[in-house]
């Protein structure tokens, strides 16, 4: 299988060729931890989780780095306003690192519930101040930065004369001059488009460190360049993140890398698109943001019920990662029903009996799914192929078709590979009240008691068990092979 991925830098699909075969380096921009994770965090994490899983399945040894931003991300923009974490700490009368730890743990818990695999390395910006200072020193030494009133700024005009600023976002510097806002502190800069590499800290600023230019803190853009270089080297394969990071964050990362070492660090830039609500970007400032915890509990005015983590994951995978996703409660309900149908078909596979006279042929399923997942992570097409196969499985289950032993084993292997290993979907957690193994055994025991009641023609007990289970959300279905249930 050959993997093609869309490179934001070249604006085309490219065959993935790692720098050091069979190793692959991947850096993904993680969250700024000053609030509960939301659906946008989930989409980015799940997108790169799929890529991580696929790279490993293709045989690559992946060094996966996902950072935690815990300093330098300012409230108004990259260079102006109060540090978001420091502000949260001040309002709640806590130490900034207490805020960081609390929301980092919340993020990890949410990602675990979504079955997002953890990265191999998860560095924090505050733990790499030395590396960021060294980066700034190198850029100063090469003449692409200047000191001003205790801060250090990147000289975009000078850089643009030797290279090109705007290569990733496809912007030109003249347009940037016309659209740059007039903010406090701009007088320190030679040009409004210049961005901070190091900011002088005012006495009241909580988070600050000593540097050659005085006490201060690193600019937001420095962290990923410094940490990417530390853990993946001066050139690595994939850098990912949300599309909203293309400008200015990732654009500035490219400029910093080229200014410090003469070349970009990244070979493939990969970005997932945004989530909208009724066509409007989801965000806290717009009042339409929903945290993952609110999805899991159903505690939000936009939601009519709680949704399981696997429903959220499936909902996200139903759209291609580069397309916009429009959220609605109706779309989530549809995703929940679709996932239940898919998992139901998957769980029926072990119950099928092979036939020496097969009437169904699904031997091409693996190839079609492989082609789709390797075509720039086309998860919606993979899911459509699995649904097609699921309909065949249900037909065979109902006695209207037959599979050979060989095809049945291949079908089981393909479903396991794509549903569990690559799409990362748990088979027993399609509802908010997901069940562990002990719960499943308890339900099976209850249904066995119901079966005994039926055999004794004790219809009252049999109906009572079925009806009360239905009231709790369980669907019980009697078939010729026994009883099936779902939640």
């Amino acid at each position: 299988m050959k993997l093609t991925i869309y490179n934001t830098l070249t604006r085309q699909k490219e065959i993935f060729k790692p720098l050091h075969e069979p190793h692959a380096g991947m850096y993904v921009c993680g969250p700024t931890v000053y609030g509960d994770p939301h659906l946008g965090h989930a989409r980015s994490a799940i997108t790169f989780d799929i890529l991580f899983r696929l790279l490993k399945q293709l045989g690559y040894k992946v060094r996966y780095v996902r950072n935690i931003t815990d300093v330098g991300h300012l409230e108004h923009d990259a260079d102006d306003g109060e540090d978001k974490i420091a502000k949260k700490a001040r309002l709640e009368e806590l130490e900034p690192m207490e805020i960081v730890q609390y929301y980092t743990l919340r993020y990890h818990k949410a990602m675990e519930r979504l079955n997002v695999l953890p990265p191999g390395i998860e560095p924090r910006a505050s733990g790499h101040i030395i590396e960021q200072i060294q980066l700034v020193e190198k850029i100063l030494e090469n003449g692409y930065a200047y000191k001003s009133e205790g801060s250090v700024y990147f000289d975009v005009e000078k850089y643009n004369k030797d290279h090109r600023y705007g290569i990733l976002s496809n912007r030109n510097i003249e347009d940037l001059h016309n659209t740059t806002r007039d903010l406090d502190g701009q007088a320190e800069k030679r040009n409004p488009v210049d961005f901070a590499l190091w900011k002088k800290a005012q006495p009241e600023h909580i988070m600050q460190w000593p540097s050659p230019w005085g006490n201060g803190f690193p600019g937001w853009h420095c962290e990923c360049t410094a940490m990417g270089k530390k853990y993946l080297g001066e050139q690595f394969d994939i850098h990912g993140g949300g599309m909203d990071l293309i400008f200015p964050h990732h654009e500035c990362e490219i400029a910093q890398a080229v200014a410090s070492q003469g070349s970009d660090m990244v070979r493939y830039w990969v970005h997932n698109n945004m989530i909208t609500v009724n066509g409007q970007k989801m965000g806290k400032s717009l009042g339409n943001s929903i945290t993952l915890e609110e999805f899991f509990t159903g505690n939000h005015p936009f939601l009519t019920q709680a949704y399981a983590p696997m429903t959220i994951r499936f909902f996200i995978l139903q759209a291609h990662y580069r397309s916009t996703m429009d959220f609605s409660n109706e779309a989530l309900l549809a995703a929940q029903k679709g996932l239940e149908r898919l998992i139901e078909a998957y769980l029926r596979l072990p119950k099928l009996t092979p036939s020496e006279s097969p009437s169904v042929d699904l031997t091409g399923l693996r190839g079609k799914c492989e082609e789709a997942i390797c075509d720039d992570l086309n998860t919606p097409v993979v899911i459509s192929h699995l649904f097609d196969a699921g309909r065949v499985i249900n037909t065979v289950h109902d006695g209207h078709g037959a599979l050979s032993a060989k095809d049945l084993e291949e079908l089981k292997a393909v479903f396991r590979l794509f549903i569990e290993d690559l799409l990362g979907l748990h088979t027993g957690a399609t509802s908010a009240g997901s069940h562990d193994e002990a719960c499943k055994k308890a339900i099976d025991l209850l249904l066995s008691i119901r079966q005994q009641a039926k055999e004794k023609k004790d219809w009252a007990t049999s109906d009572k068990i079925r009806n009360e289970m239905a009231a709790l959300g369980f669907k019980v279905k009697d078939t010729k092979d026994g009883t099936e249930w779902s939640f």
Side-chain angles (χ1 to χ4, degrees):
M1 294 187 289
K2 287 186 177 179
L3 169 63
T4 62
I5 53 178
Y6 184 86
N7 190 344
T8 309
L9 187 62
T10 61
R11 294 168 182 82
Q12 62 185 10
K13 290 182 186 178
E14 298 180 12
I15 295 176
F16 177 67
K17 296 179 180 178
L19 186 64
H20 303 294
E21 190 85 38
H23 298 270
M26 183 167 76
Y27 188 103
V28 175
C29 284
T32 302
V33 284
Y34 69 101
D36 274 332
H38 51 71
L39 201 58
H41 290 126
R43 188 175 199 192
S44 184
I46 289 170
T47 295
F48 295 102
D49 182 58
I50 298 295
L51 181 54
F52 181 37
R53 289 169 180 267
L54 180 56
L55 288 170
K56 292 198 301 178
Q57 180 64 34
L58 293 173
Y60 295 108
K61 297 178 180 179
V62 186
R63 177 168 289 176
Y64 179 15
V65 183
R66 184 183 68 203
N67 73 294
I68 295 290
T69 298
D70 60 355
V71 66
H73 201 165
L74 305 187
E75 188 179 12
H76 297 158
D77 75 352
D79 297 338
D80 179 66
E82 189 173 3
D83 186 291
K84 292 181 178 181
I85 290 169
K87 179 181 179 180
K88 188 85 171 180
R90 177 175 55 79
L91 292 175
E92 297 191 14
E93 298 182 340
L94 295 170
E95 283 291 325
M97 288 303 111
E98 288 182 281
I99 297 294
V100 169
Q101 181 71 356
Y102 177 79
Y103 287 110
T104 298
L105 293 175
R106 302 271 290 181
Y107 177 77
H108 286 161
K109 183 63 176 177
M111 294 305 106
E112 181 181 346
R113 295 180 72 180
L114 290 168
N115 200 25
V116 171
L117 300 176
I121 303 172
E122 193 173 54
R124 295 185 180 186
S126 63
H128 296 77
I129 300 298
I130 292 174
E131 289 85 355
Q132 293 177 78
I133 290 174
Q134 290 171 342
L135 174 69
V136 177
E137 288 178 323
K138 190 64 178 177
I139 296 173
L140 275 168
E141 180 185 322
N142 291 344
Y144 292 110
Y146 57 90
K147 293 173 277 188
S148 177
E149 300 181 28
S151 296
V152 181
Y153 290 95
F154 191 93
D155 193 332
V156 173
E157 288 271 11
K158 185 171 183 180
Y159 173 85
N160 193 58
K161 290 177 182 178
D162 298 333
H163 307 282
R164 183 196 165 192
Y165 183 79
I167 191 171
L168 185 66
S169 59
N170 204 25
R171 304 185 186 203
N172 63 66
I173 199 168
E174 290 76 20
D175 292 340
L176 293 175
H177 276 301
N178 294 332
T179 57
T180 301
R181 294 183 298 160
D182 184 19
L183 298 169
D184 292 340
Q186 295 282 14
E188 294 182 3
K189 304 180 183 181
R190 292 177 183 172
N191 288 292
V193 295
D194 295 345
F195 59 89
L197 297 171
W198 185 266
K199 286 284 287 183
K200 177 183 179 181
Q202 300 303 316
E204 67 274 11
H205 197 92
I206 303 174
M207 303 172 76
Q208 54 180 288
W209 291 265
S211 80
W213 318 287
N215 284 358
F217 54 93
W220 171 38
H221 311 306
C222 284
E223 61 180 271
C224 292
T225 306
M227 294 189 292
K229 184 179 295 190
K230 178 179 178 66
Y231 294 109
L232 296 173
E234 291 192 347
Q235 190 175 43
F236 57 89
D237 298 303
I238 298 169
H239 194 317
M243 200 168 284
D244 57 331
L245 296 177
I246 292 177
F247 186 87
H249 186 48
H250 290 164
E251 195 72 75
C252 293
E253 279 193 57
I254 291 177
Q256 290 170 159
V258 174
S260 63
Q261 65 185 37
S263 63
D264 185 15
M265 294 194 302
V266 182
R267 307 183 75 206
Y268 303 89
W269 287 90
V270 182
H271 295 90
N272 64 277
N273 214 323
M274 301 295 100
I275 293 178
T276 59
V277 179
N278 298 322
Q280 190 177 38
K281 179 183 174 183
M282 180 180 282
K284 287 184 179 180
S285 60
L286 299 173
N288 62 1
S289 180
I290 308 177
T291 69
L292 292 176
E293 185 63 26
E294 288 170 332
F295 279 109
F296 300 156
T297 61
N299 187 25
H300 193 280
F302 288 175
L303 304 174
T304 59
Q305 63 172 65
Y307 290 96
M310 288 302 98
T311 298
I312 302 300
R313 186 177 179 105
F314 187 71
F315 168 69
I316 289 171
L317 294 177
Q318 284 183 302
H320 190 268
Y321 78 91
R322 286 194 289 112
S323 66
T324 303
M325 283 193 73
D326 197 53
F327 158 80
S328 68
N329 187 73
E330 292 72 23
L332 276 180
L333 286 171
Q336 179 174 290
K337 291 178 181 178
L339 178 59
E340 287 173 352
R341 288 199 306 272
L342 185 61
I343 297 303
E344 182 180 47
Y346 181 32
L347 295 179
R348 280 179 167 175
L349 273 172
K351 302 175 183 178
L352 300 185
T353 303
S355 171
E356 293 183 0
S357 303
S359 59
V360 176
D361 182 11
L362 286 173
T363 54
L365 178 63
R366 181 187 292 269
K368 289 189 288 187
C369 289
E370 286 177 350
E371 182 180 359
I373 197 73
C374 287
D375 180 19
D376 196 27
L377 312 182
N378 204 331
T379 57
V381 173
V382 173
I383 290 170
S384 71
H385 291 321
L386 294 174
F387 269 126
D388 289 342
R391 283 189 283 272
V392 174
I393 291 168
N394 291 333
T395 298
V396 174
H397 178 269
D398 293 340
H400 304 301
L403 284 162
S404 69
K406 180 180 178 182
D407 288 350
L408 182 56
E409 288 307 308
E410 168 68 357
L411 195 54
K412 291 177 183 177
V414 171
F415 262 63
R416 183 170 59 251
L417 171 63
F418 283 92
I419 289 180
E420 296 192 45
D421 298 343
L422 291 178
L423 297 184
L425 296 167
H426 288 314
T427 58
T430 59
S431 307
S434 59
H435 354 84
D436 57 20
E437 195 61 34
C439 182
K440 289 180 184 179
K441 289 180 180 179
I443 294 167
D444 289 339
L445 175 63
L446 186 61
L447 290 176
S448 71
I449 295 172
R450 177 175 176 267
Q451 181 62 31
Q452 291 171 11
K454 288 174 63 179
E455 291 170 357
K456 294 176 181 177
K457 301 188 184 304
D458 182 0
W459 309 119
T461 300
S462 171
D463 291 345
K464 179 180 174 62
I465 292 173
R466 183 194 61 205
N467 294 338
E468 295 203 5
M469 287 184 70
L472 292 171
F474 291 91
K475 183 165 61 178
V476 177
K477 183 179 180 181
D478 293 316
T479 71
K480 61 183 179 65
D481 297 319
T483 303
E484 296 178 352
W485 65 271
S486 61
F487 187 82

